[in-house]
Amino acid sequence: MRPAERAAELRRAIAHHRRLYYELDAPEIPDADFDALIDALGAIEAAHPELVTPDSPTQQVGSAPSAAFAPAAHRVPMMSLDKVVSFEELVAWGSRTKRLLGLEEEAAAGLRFVCEPKIDGLSISITYDRGRYARAATRGDGRVGEDVTENVRTIEAVPLELAVDPAELPADLEVRGEVYLPIAAFEELNARQQAAGEKLFANPRNAAAGSLRQRDPKVTAGRALSVFAYQVVSADLAPAGPEAAASGEEAVELETAATLGRQSDSLELLGRIGFPVNPEIEVVTGLEAVYDFCQRLEARRHALGYEIDGAVVKIDDVSLQRRLGATSHAPRWEVAYKFPPEERSTLLEAIMVSIGRTGRATPFAKLRPVRVGGSTVSLASLHNEDQVALKDVRPGDTVVVRKAGDVIPEVVGPVLSERPPGLEPWAFPACCPVCHQPLVRLEGEADTYCVNADCPGQQRQRIAHFASRGAMDIEGLGEQRVHQLIEAGLVSDATDLYRLEVAQLASLEGFAELSARNLVAAIDASRDRPLPNLLVALGIRHVGATVAHALARAFGALDRIMAASREELEATEGIGSIIAASIAAHFGADHNRAFVDRLRQAGVSFGGAAVPPAAPQNLLGKSIVVTGTLEAFSREGAEAAITSRGGKSPGSVSPRTTAVVAGSSPGAAKLTKAEQLGIPILDEAGFRQLLESGELPAAG
Ligand code: IVH
């Protein structure tokens, strides 16, 4: 396609998405996809300057105000921000700034920056007349916004009378900031919308925009909107660069300018007159410190309670701001540092079904690989049949994929405008993709199962589970190898492993004499695994490491557990009625008892004498989360050390967590949450102390 055609195509697409985003508050594609369209157009225009038109979306801010509101002209235009996405780009912005200011190295190193979270809401301009709330306007196209005075009046965080003697303030003070909806309020609103059969909002930003831009301010009043103020407008701070001068902007003098020599002064004043000012804001010196702020903020982004999509970095000194001025669309003295996007769209290549060890058939999305949430995603679970139907995603759709923090990737939904004609809804396969026997979904159940106990797919998962680390821990026996052994007809259940001979293995592809010997030795060594590992290996529903330890402690040997009644099981500390029923049912089934017999014949130890001496039960009632890599413990080892002492070791931090143990490269989200909840964070030495004494080490 010729550049001119491609530019025209991009402009059409951008105009379409801009309308959905700004006018209808209902975007179809993630912000990052929209930014990518603008960037693509910008690249064409940079290579072919003759294609730049004055009305090109690259030259515009926002969208024309909607006719539903009275127009509100901005005294000083509301511009947009240039963005950077890496340390390198941040440094390049810094160097440009330094050069424009003619600063020497030393002076540049001492530059002070205000670092603010970039709130993902919508910008607002609020004007006061002698300290009294007078007018509020959205950004609109930057010159003329929408008059939303009555709507903003209902936002509790917006002061109607400024908490300062009006004599201290200019007659016409303008405050700018971001209106946003806290995440909890967003979730509550969507729950209400769903109950009322109304459309759901895609994210808190759209919900905030949709809530503010209501004809009836009473609706806005019911929406729990809030605001963070970040700017005091003075014409003194308005664009003063060459382009602005050429466009004929007039400088209106405001009295505040003299007393607000720094952005940090403005923030202080905003706080004093009664506006919420974001508590994360920091003033730092030098770009390294700016970058450090951005990284710390990103690590905390999911713990804030409202959405942010980056940081805004502002030169603190207003006289320097004025020397830098602005380009036609953005100030030169501030820049947005954007976090990697957490949502992107990509092609849904196929929906496939995987078979777990219990036979559960789980649909999953095979995606064209896409960078999202800081990693490349090509697979995402779709959970079950109803989830696929609810989202109505079809192979061939462009879908929105979300990967936020530690959370596993998720398919949010299709981009309907990009659905090719004739795509059929996806239907759950009637047969197991592995054994081709019919799949079964029982009435009232969400999950579908392959009920063929001999299904090789299930066998593979069961044997791989049996050999996994928390179970019999057979080194070198992963899913692929298990598959190979089943295909070669050497094993059909885990007990067959104990009959494998070196010669049989050595003849298989990918094996040599040595690797065959090693595997046989590893299988042999697994005969002596402690009882909790054996219990996990049996794959009893609801029996993971914690329950297995509780059983081993209480009963000491497998035969005693198998002989126990449901009541006896239920009387065990840490075992409830559902788990007790599941264990009793498992050992009640003939094929499971036969499996245990075969293990016994294979010489697997069943506890009794082989049970390791019980550890002191000094962590009873304590819940300890482990994150990152420890030196002397594997992850399983650390968890076993906790559970064998009666404690719990869940995978996420909650208000019930007693302590978090952080090794190297810990999960940022876990640490942030622990900090927020005031939960002690231990290093490895602290963890050892806790294991020994059962007490948290003294702080300090
Ligand atoms: S400063 C020139 N500070 O981000 C306009 N903006 O992408 C810059 N935003 O329109 C205003 N948090 O709606 C500024 N702490 C913050 C912000 C912030 C969010 C929004 C604002 C602006 C957009 C630019």
Side-chain angles (χ1 to χ4, degrees), residues 85-93 287-292 337:
V85 298
S86 64
F87 183 59
E88 289 68 36
E89 288 186 13
L90 181 67
V91 169
W93 172 78
L287 282 179
E288 295 271 352
V290 168
Y291 187 62
D292 179 63
Y337 176 91

Side-chain angles (χ1 to χ4, degrees), residues 78-81 116-123 139 177-178 230-231 312 314 329-331 334 336:
M78 291 180 86
M79 309 187 88
S80 61
L81 282 175
E116 307 181 2
K118 187 169 183 310
I119 314 297
D120 203 3
L122 66 158
S123 40
R139 182 169 68 168
E178 199 82 353
Y230 48 67
Q231 197 183 1
V312 184
K314 307 178 179 182
H329 63 276
E334 57 183 343

Side-chain angles (χ1 to χ4, degrees), residues 618-644:
N618 56 5
L619 296 182
L620 275 175
K622 293 197 165 67
S623 170
I624 293 135
V625 174
V626 183
T627 174
T629 313
L630 298 173
E631 299 217 335
F633 297 85
S634 66
R635 175 61 65 82
E636 288 79 9
E639 286 169 5
I642 296 163
T643 52
S644 66

Side-chain angles (χ1 to χ4, degrees), residues 64-80:
S66 144
F69 298 91
H74 297 298
R75 204 170 35 146
V76 175
M78 291 180 86
M79 309 187 88
S80 61

